[in-house]
Amino acid sequence: HRGAGAEAPENPLAALRLALAQGADGVELDAWRCATGEVVVVHDEDLARVAGAPLRVPDSPLAALRALDVGAWKGERWRDERIASLEDVLAVVPARKKVVIELKADPEIVEPLAAVLKQAAIDDESILVISLVDATVAECKRRMPNVRCHWLSRYKQRADGGWFPTANDVIDTIRRLGAAGFGSG
């Protein structure tokens, strides 16, 4: 999850490499589209927590994001870790390892994501795209029909004690979006 995010900073290449070195079958990462259009791998939209910077990923160009240290907050060992692009990540993931990409953004991320996946030396069976954003899942299925996509939702308890979404809501949404599965985020 976020590479070896419990031990290393979340999502930079060092965390992903550590997870793989520990024998993980694959890695889960979080992706945003930055202001210059690239898909970057970082969990938070706002970089205050991981970089101490008052920047928002969608509003920042790639060069500004790469200038930030996103490792020092986790300890001196991780100082100078940088935000990776999705291309950077896919270049270090060995063949046959799984890559779960959680898209944190609206559907505009799908076009650059599709371009990166098309150029990468990774097969569709090794990729799973997940998102809490309904429209993003639907656009993924439209643009990349061979890539598995799962819709995520958070369960919430209603005042009457029941839960939302219901099982029928989940089934209906998966069918409407063309998703291959469901997860609770």
Side-chain angles (χ1 to χ4, degrees):
H1 187 241
R2 302 179 195 167
E7 298 173 53
E10 303 163 358
N11 284 303
L13 291 178
L16 301 171
R17 284 184 177 119
L18 179 59
L20 294 167
Q22 291 174 339
D25 293 330
V27 293
E28 182 270 349
L29 54 92
D30 304 285
W32 289 91
R33 181 178 183 267
C34 69
T36 47
E38 296 87 359
V39 178
V40 295
V41 178
V42 62
H43 181 270
D44 300 355
E45 179 178 16
D46 175 301
L47 296 170
R49 180 176 68 92
V50 298
L55 297 178
R56 289 183 65 250
V57 175
D59 301 335
S60 303
L62 181 60
L65 296 172
R66 285 195 192 262
L68 300 172
D69 180 336
V70 294
W73 71 276
K74 195 72 171 188
E76 193 59 34
R77 170 183 178 194
W78 307 106
R79 182 167 298 286
D80 293 325
E81 284 298 315
R82 304 296 169 185
I83 291 176
S85 69
L86 185 57
E87 291 98 333
D88 298 335
V89 169
L90 295 178
V92 302
V93 175
R96 295 191 184 93
K97 294 289 185 174
K98 303 293 183 191
V99 180
V100 179
I101 304 168
E102 182 175 346
L103 300 180
K104 303 296 230 174
D106 290 332
E108 70 273 356
I109 195 171
V110 176
E111 184 176 340
L113 171 70
V116 168
L117 293 179
K118 185 177 181 179
Q119 295 299 315
I122 191 165
D123 58 48
D124 291 345
E125 292 78 37
S126 296
I127 298 288
L128 171 62
V129 175
I130 61 177
S131 184
L132 286 160
V133 183
D134 295 18
T136 300
V137 174
E139 184 65 9
C140 281
K141 288 311 301 173
R142 188 185 76 73
R143 295 263 322 185
M144 303 177 297
N146 295 330
V147 173
R148 288 176 304 132
C149 297
H150 288 190
W151 172 61
L152 300 179
S153 181
R154 292 187 174 97
Y155 282 104
K156 298 177 184 165
Q157 193 163 21
R158 298 185 312 235
D160 67 3
W163 290 89
F164 181 83
T166 66
N168 287 335
D169 294 330
V170 169
I171 292 166
D172 291 345
T173 302
I174 288 171
R175 285 183 179 148
R176 178 174 50 83
L177 300 177
F182 172 76
S184 179

